């Protein structure tokens, strides 16, 4: 069913559809769009009431459904931001069928509706740094693509579909290759859900719940033996999507901070924040475990192309990421999402 919800005052009538609108990144994109005055149409199989103020229309349904397709036909949005899909590397290795069906087949079905209905709509795709596979350097968009997981394969397949549809049908698209999304809305309106698998979430929950943190891999060929990643704040990611609508860009772009932090860097940054806030008295306990299958040692983005072609640049540093996350994990909104209670 379609649900119409109250919203912030509307400054313009440009309509944008966001699939995966109840998710971590999709939800933050909706917040950013509403702050810029867009008419936001959210689509997700789940409904998250704390995001209701940021949807003018919300459809609780699969993005590849009759009602979801009808939204394209009825509203002919200026842009579709496609965040829906299945998104973890490890599970994709054990269950590739789900990833290829959800991420590839359904997206092609959705694109065909767009092609036949509203080809002037800009399509902005949530891709991933996983398309690069096992890089050996800081990665720009010209780096060879060689995914090592079905999840990465599924993202690369859709990038190839988008390029082909652009050539054949004049589809206007942007594909954003996300590096490691992190942080939370600075007003604690939205963030990761309880029991998320990303490292910041796991360290915060371990510290606030007085449980052990499991460190996956301490023998990587890096300075401290743990994975090195480029962490980019979710607000910076959301801002890039609005810029992609408003500025004349197309094609593939990395979204990253151009900086690398190891798992130990993240662990100690969160621990320091919790000690400062007096939520813990001593350090967070951690257990060393085997590396996760499909995890490369180093992933660092070169996002200079996006910064050169647009007005975008990352604004949030590690200290901002950790501080925003602290206020999210101790917020009433977060506590209302699940059973985990840090207080």
């Amino acid at each position: 069913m379609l649900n119409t919800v109250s919203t912030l005052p509307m400054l313009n009538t440009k309509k944008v559809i966001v699939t995966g609108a109840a998710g971590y990144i999709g939800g933050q994109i909706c917040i950013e769009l509403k702050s810029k005055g867009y008419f936001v149409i959210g689509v997700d199989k789940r409904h998250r009431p704390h995001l209701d103020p940021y949807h003018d229309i919300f459809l609780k349904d699969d993005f590849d459904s009759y009602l979801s397709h009808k939204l394209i036909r009825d509203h002919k949005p200026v842009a579709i931001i496609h965040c829906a899909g299945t998104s973890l590397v490890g599970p994709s290795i054990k269950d590739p069928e789900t990833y290829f069906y959800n991420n590839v087949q359904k997206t092609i079905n959705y694109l065909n509706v767009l092609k036949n209905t509203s080809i002037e709509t800009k399509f902005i795709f949530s891709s991933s740094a996983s398309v690069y596979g096992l890089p050996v350097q800081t990665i720009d968009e010209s780096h060879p693509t060689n995914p090592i997981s079905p999840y990465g394969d599924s993202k690369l397949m859709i990038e190839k579909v988008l390029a082909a549809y652009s050539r054949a049908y004049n589809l206007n698209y942007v594909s954003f290759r996300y590096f490691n999304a992190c942080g939370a809305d600075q007003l604690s309106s939205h963030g990761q859900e309880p029991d998320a698998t990303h490292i910041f979430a796991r360290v915060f929950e371990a510290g606030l719940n007085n449980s052990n943190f499991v460190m996956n891999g301490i023998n990587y060929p890096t300075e401290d033996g743990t994975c090195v990643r480029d962490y980019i704040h979710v607000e910076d990611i959301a801002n890039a999507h609005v810029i992609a609508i408003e500025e004349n860009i197309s094609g593939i772009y990395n979204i990253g901070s151009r900086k690398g932090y190891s798992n130990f860097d993240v662990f100690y940054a969160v621990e320091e924040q919790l000690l400062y806030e007096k939520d813990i008295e001593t350090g967070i306990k951690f257990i060393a475990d085997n590396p996760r299958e499909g995890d490369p040692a180093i992933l660092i983005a070169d996002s200079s192309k996006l910064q050169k072609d647009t007005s975008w640049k990352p604004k949030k540093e590690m200290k901002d990421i950790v501080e925003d996350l602290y206020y999210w994990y101790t917020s009433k909104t977060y506590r209302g999402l699940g059973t985990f209670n840090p207080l």
Side-chain angles (χ1 to χ4, degrees):
M1 62 181 286
L2 286 169
N3 302 294
T4 303
V5 298
S6 60
T7 67
L8 303 174
M10 189 164 60
L11 302 178
N12 66 49
T13 56
K14 290 183 178 180
K15 296 178 180 180
V16 178
I17 293 175
V18 180
T19 71
Y24 174 48
I25 294 175
Q28 192 65 47
I29 290 171
C30 292
I31 292 172
E32 182 72 13
L33 287 166
K34 284 308 298 176
S35 75
K36 298 297 193 295
Y38 285 87
F39 187 99
V40 179
I41 302 169
V43 179
D44 203 299
K45 290 190 290 187
R46 303 177 308 156
H47 174 231
R48 291 296 184 183
H50 71 281
L51 290 169
D52 281 351
Y54 310 104
H55 301 141
D56 294 279
I57 295 172
F58 181 77
L59 172 64
K60 185 177 182 291
D61 203 350
D62 193 289
F63 75 92
D64 184 31
S65 69
Y66 170 78
L67 287 178
S68 176
H69 297 171
K70 189 172 184 295
L71 287 173
I72 301 174
R73 300 186 186 100
D74 290 350
H75 294 277
K76 294 183 172 59
V78 297
I80 293 173
I81 299 175
H82 184 43
C83 297
T86 318
S87 63
L88 297 175
V89 170
S92 78
I93 294 170
K94 297 177 180 178
D95 183 21
E97 178 185 4
T98 295
Y99 280 73
F100 290 126
Y101 180 63
N102 286 342
N103 295 359
V104 180
Q105 184 59 61
K106 286 184 178 181
T107 299
I108 292 173
N109 295 343
Y110 194 70
L111 284 169
N112 287 338
V113 175
L114 180 62
K115 172 178 72 72
N116 296 325
T117 304
S118 184
I119 196 62
E120 69 277 7
T121 295
K122 192 167 196 175
F123 191 83
I124 303 172
F125 176 56
S126 296
S127 190
S128 167
S130 64
V131 300
Y132 293 116
L134 292 170
V136 294
Q137 61 200 44
T138 299
I139 309 159
D140 66 16
E141 292 83 355
S142 67
H143 190 285
T145 52
N146 186 25
I148 59 173
S149 70
Y151 169 66
D153 285 327
S154 73
K155 292 296 187 181
L156 186 58
M157 287 178 185
I158 292 303
E159 288 192 352
K160 292 180 178 181
V161 170
L162 292 173
Y165 275 44
S166 177
R167 290 189 297 269
Y169 312 123
N170 296 316
L171 175 69
N172 186 6
Y173 81 94
V174 172
S175 181
F176 281 132
R177 291 174 175 172
Y178 303 154
F179 281 65
N180 284 60
C182 58
D185 182 70
Q186 63 180 337
L187 299 179
S188 298
S189 302
H190 181 60
Q192 291 276 15
E193 297 173 25
D195 301 318
T197 60
H198 302 290
I199 185 170
F200 282 96
R202 294 190 294 116
V203 180
F204 263 106
E205 291 190 355
L208 291 168
N209 203 34
N210 193 30
S211 59
N212 292 331
F213 166 72
V214 176
M215 183 76 78
N216 294 110
I218 58 171
N219 293 309
Y220 282 95
T222 60
E223 187 173 336
D224 65 17
T226 64
C227 288
V228 173
R229 293 290 182 268
D230 184 320
Y231 292 101
I232 182 72
H233 196 290
V234 68
E235 286 187 353
D236 287 325
I237 292 176
N239 179 246
H241 288 73
V242 176
I243 286 173
I245 296 171
E246 298 179 346
E247 301 186 20
N248 186 26
I249 62 169
S250 62
I252 295 170
Y253 289 89
N254 288 338
I255 300 184
S257 69
R258 304 176 72 183
K259 299 177 181 178
Y261 296 93
S262 74
N263 283 356
F264 272 132
D265 289 334
V266 172
F267 178 84
Y268 291 127
V270 174
E271 184 178 70
E272 182 179 355
Q273 181 75 28
L274 294 178
L275 288 167
Y276 174 78
E277 300 288 350
K278 303 189 185 322
D279 285 286
I280 58 174
E281 295 181 0
T282 59
I284 302 171
K285 297 171 286 187
F286 83 88
I287 298 172
D289 201 356
N290 295 324
R292 295 185 304 185
E293 188 176 2
D295 267 353
I298 299 173
L299 275 176
I300 301 175
D302 182 347
S303 57
S304 58
K305 179 184 175 187
L306 182 60
Q307 295 185 52
K308 177 177 176 289
D309 289 356
T310 72
S311 60
W312 181 85
K313 63 179 181 179
K315 298 177 181 177
K316 298 279 191 171
E317 301 284 346
M318 177 61 76
K319 63 181 179 60
D320 304 306
I321 291 168
V322 173
E323 184 174 293
D324 289 346
L325 281 169
Y326 173 76
Y327 289 113
W328 168 245
Y329 282 112
T330 55
S331 70
K332 290 182 180 179
T333 302
Y334 174 78
R335 296 198 300 273
L337 294 179
T339 58
F340 173 72
N341 187 341
L343 300 181

